[in-house]
C-alpha cells in the first residue's frame, strides 16, 4: 500500500513511463499520507485502445491509485488533484490531444494482507 | 470516465480486440448514460491464465467497466446486461468453450480528477 | 467470479507465474467459498515498475482477488491471509527482497453479468 497503476496509449511515443512513475511516487510521498517504501507503482503501454466509439488519434493517460481505506474524502480529493498536476508534468513536449484521469480507490483495510521478505541468502 | 478494460485469453486466437472495443464503446454510448468522447477503452490479450485449478482449454473474456459513482443499481444492472449481450457478438465464429463476465464498478466521484488537453503545437 | 489478477516484477526472473496461478486457484478452492470452475486467474510480468520513489532492486508480487459482494469481513480477512500464505510458497528459492500483497475487493453482485458458452461446433 499504496499501489499506483499507470496506463498510457502508445500514440504518446516519447512517453517516459519510468520517469513518470518516479514523479508520481514522489507526489504520493509528498502528500505525507504514505511511507516511502510502501509506494509501489507499475506502468503499462496500451497497444489496443479506443477513445469514443471510433478510432481516433486522441491519447489518454490513466492513473489508478489504490490505498487502504481510512483516508477522508477531503484527503482523497486533494491527493487526486495533486497527482493530476504531477501527471501533467510527465507529458512529452509537443504531445497531441490527450485526456488525463486519476481514479483513487480504497482497498479494504481489514482483509488486505502483506508480507515484507528480506533477500534469501 | 467511463473506462472499459477488456481482457481475453489467447486461446481465442481470432479475437479482434480492436473491433470488440468499438462494439463495446458503442453499447456504452447507446445506454445514454455517457458522453461519446468520455468513453475510454483498452484491451489486453492474456498469455498466462487459468480457469479452475488446473490448466484447461477453456477461454474467458472479462470486461471491467469503471464509471463515476451516482448511477442507480438498476442503471448499472441494465448496463451490465447490455454489455454482456454486446460482448457475445464479439466472439469469433467457431469459438471454443468460453466464459464471459462483466464487472461494473463505481469510481469515487469526489476524488476523481481529470484534465482534457489539446494538442501542443 | 472470482477473478485473480497476479502481478510480479521482472526482477524475479525465475518466477513461475503459471504454477503460481495453479497454487493460488487451489488455495481459493480450498477456502470452500467458490466453485472450482468459476475461478479465473491471469498473471502479468511487470517490466516498468518502482518501489518507493527511486529505482531499487526490491521486487513485489501483488495479487488482486475480486469476488462477488456478500462474503463477510471475517471471511475476506481469512481468505486474504490464506492467499498470502499461498503466495509465499510461489517464490523462487534464493529470491531477493520482495513485498507480497493481497487486495481482496468486492464486485457488485447486482450488476455483475455472466454467460457460460459451450464450444460452437
Amino acid at each position: 500500500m499504496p499501489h499506483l497503476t499507470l496506463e498510457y496509449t502508445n500514440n504518446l511515443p516519447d512517453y517516459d513511463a519510468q520517469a513518470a512513475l518516479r514523479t508520481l511516487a514522489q507526489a504520493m510521498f509528498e502528500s505525507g499520507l504514505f511511507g516511502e517504501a510502501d509506494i509501489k507503482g507499475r506502468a503499462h503501454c496500451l497497444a489496443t485502445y479506443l477513445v469514443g466509439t471510433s478510432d481516433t488519434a486522441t491519447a489518454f493517460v490513466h492513473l489508478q491509485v489504490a490505498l487502504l481505506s481510512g483516508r477522508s474524502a477531503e484527503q482523497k480529493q486533494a491527493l487526486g488533484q495533486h497527482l493530476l498536476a504531477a501527471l501533467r508534468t510527465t507529458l512529452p513536449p509537443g504531445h497531441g490531444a490527450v485526456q488525463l484521469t486519476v481514479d483513487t480507490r480504497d482497498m479494504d483495510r481489514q482483509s488486505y494482507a502483506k508480507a515484507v521478505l528480506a533477500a534469501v541468502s
Side-chain angles (χ1 to χ4, degrees), chain A:
Chain A
M1 201 286 296
H3 288 276
L4 300 173
T5 303
L6 179 68
E7 300 173 291
Y8 61 102
T9 53
N10 72 357
N11 55 353
L12 282 169
D14 297 322
Y15 196 71
D16 185 340
Q18 190 68 51
L21 285 181
R22 284 192 295 267
T23 297
L24 295 165
Q26 186 62 35
M28 289 288 284
F29 183 56
E30 287 166 2
S31 75
L33 297 172
F34 312 106
E36 196 266 349
D38 294 333
I39 302 168
K40 288 176 279 295
R42 70 284 270 160
H44 300 287
C45 182
L46 302 176
T48 307
Y49 59 88
L50 184 64
V51 176
T53 56
S54 53
D55 299 6
T56 73
T58 304
F60 67 86
V61 184
H62 179 62
L63 176 65
Q64 186 184 104
V65 187
L67 62 174
L68 288 181
S69 51
R71 273 75 185 187
S72 71
E74 290 71 25
Q75 285 176 315
K76 288 188 278 188
Q77 189 174 26
L79 183 64
Q81 291 300 325
H82 185 54
L83 288 169
L84 181 63
L87 201 54
R88 272 181 103 125
T89 71
T90 68
L91 291 174
H95 63 76
V98 58
Q99 295 189 25
L100 306 180
T101 48
V102 180
D103 168 26
T104 302
R105 77 171 185 88
D106 278 348
M107 298 186 292
D108 178 51
R109 183 179 288 271
Q110 188 173 348
S111 58
Y112 192 74
K114 180 174 178 178
V116 178
L117 306 182
V120 174
S121 60

